[in-house]
Amino acid sequence: EPEVTQTPSHQVTQMGQEVILRCVPISNHLYFYWYRQILGQKVEFLVSFYNNEISEKSEIFDDQFSVERPDGSNFTLKIRSTKLEDSAMYFCASSPDRGSGTEAFFGQGTRLTVV
Amino acid sequence: DAKTTQPNSMESNEEEPVHLPCNHSTISGTDYIHWYRQLPSQGPEYVIHGLTSNVNNRMASLAIAEDRKSSTLILHRATLRDAAVYYCILRDVAGAGSYQLTFGKGTKLSVIP
């Protein structure tokens, strides 16, 4: 069964450093998303991406964050200068279209720890 | 997205049916009802969705009230692997143009062996 894959599974970084979280969405999907979940809290939407541009972003997704689809298979989330409060699980998701009856497929997540 | 209300937690015995309720009294006519679950230390996983009619798939059944103000996710025989947080989410992409899923706190289901 096709799945969304994320690497690395765990990333430790020093405060102020840049990190790139990588995702390979399901191959025929067109819509891509990043969500995050701080330990013990809700899953929060960050950004959606379609046709090589951001479709929607939340208030969390400020200038420190950026997304890119550098080739036909990868989808990345970059945090330019990490803060302690960026420590969270980051989930990538993809869907074949954006209709309200469409399911999203999530990866297993990258645990980001900022020290 | 319209708001949903779920119990914080529920318990079930293994191999018994589980009925997970969700209230969505402000649902609009174009809102789909989606259910996702999140197993411990994993990403959310799609379970089922519906609009008006009851739905069945290999994982679960979704029973939607006639007035659509509530729905129930039914797991026919709970297994230990079904222990997870279950989220009921309304999605109206056509109306609001939003791509995102809005997760609440969900219902934490514990399955007792």
Side-chain angles (χ1 to χ4, degrees), chain A residues 1 31 33 35 37 42-45 48 50 55-56 89 91 95 98-109 111, chain B residues 30-32 34 36 38 41-46 49 58 87 91-94 96-105:
Chain A
E1 188 171 321
Y31 294 84
Y33 315 87
Y35 289 78
Q37 186 174 31
K42 298 178 191 179
V43 177
E44 301 173 289
F45 170 78
S48 61
Y50 168 71
S55 307
E56 187 178 30
M89 283 291 290
F91 297 108
S95 61
R98 59 160 282 193
S100 49
T102 301
E103 63 194 84
F105 295 78
F106 285 78
Q108 297 296 345
R111 178 172 300 282
Chain B
T30 52
D31 279 329
Y32 276 76
H34 285 247
Y36 283 76
Q38 188 175 21
S41 303
Q42 295 194 27
E45 175 186 29
Y46 167 81
H49 75 272
R58 62 178 177 84
Y87 301 99
R91 210 158 175 233
D92 179 12
V93 175
S98 173
Y99 295 84
Q100 63 180 281
L101 292 166
T102 302
F103 289 83
K105 294 183 180 178

Side-chain angles (χ1 to χ4, degrees), chain B residues 1-6 20-29 31-35 50-52 62-73 87-91:
Chain B
D1 290 319
K3 190 175 169 64
T4 63
T5 306
Q6 299 177 252
L20 296 164
C22 180
N23 287 318
H24 28 78
S25 58
T26 59
I27 191 169
S28 74
D31 279 329
Y32 276 76
I33 302 159
H34 285 247
W35 283 83
L51 183 61
T52 56
L62 176 60
I64 301 172
E66 200 168 327
D67 63 5
R68 300 207 327 124
K69 292 185 187 299
S70 65
S71 61
T72 302
L73 179 70
Y87 301 99
C88 171
I89 300 169
L90 301 185
R91 210 158 175 233

